[in-house]
Amino acid sequence: PKEPSGSPGADSIKIKKEVANAFVKRRKRSSPYEWYFEYYKSPMEQMHERCENYPPCDHLSDQIGFALAYNRFFG
């Protein structure tokens, strides 16, 4: 069934699994290191996220830099 605008509805669009897999491929990891870094964050990345999730630290890091802002609030 078509919608009044002339385009088919989302329910009427279906493709087979084999066709979908032809253009949606999962990227394979080439080494154990890539697998590791995909699931575990570095300590520096964890620090950045901690500062980004705390609005005063995030705002101050834009003004004076991440290292100084992080040390002021969490250091």
Side-chain angles (χ1 to χ4, degrees):
K2 290 193 173 190
E3 293 182 4
S5 64
S7 61
D11 295 335
S12 66
I13 299 174
K14 296 188 188 230
I15 58 174
K16 294 181 181 178
K17 185 177 178 181
E18 296 80 21
V19 176
N21 287 337
F23 62 89
V24 179
K25 293 280 184 188
R26 184 174 174 204
R27 192 174 69 93
K28 295 182 180 175
R29 294 177 207 90
S30 62
S31 72
Y33 297 106
E34 288 182 23
W35 179 86
Y36 177 82
F37 287 119
E38 184 176 330
Y39 290 101
Y40 300 101
K41 296 176 183 170
S42 70
M44 184 60 96
E45 188 174 353
Q46 291 174 357
M47 290 168 55
H48 272 281
E49 288 183 355
R50 186 176 182 193
C51 187
E52 287 173 356
N53 290 334
Y54 187 58
C57 182
D58 188 34
H59 179 70
L60 190 61
S61 70
D62 291 338
Q63 297 173 355
I64 64 172
F66 165 73
L68 293 173
Y70 186 87
N71 285 334
R72 181 169 295 174
F73 290 101
F74 305 108

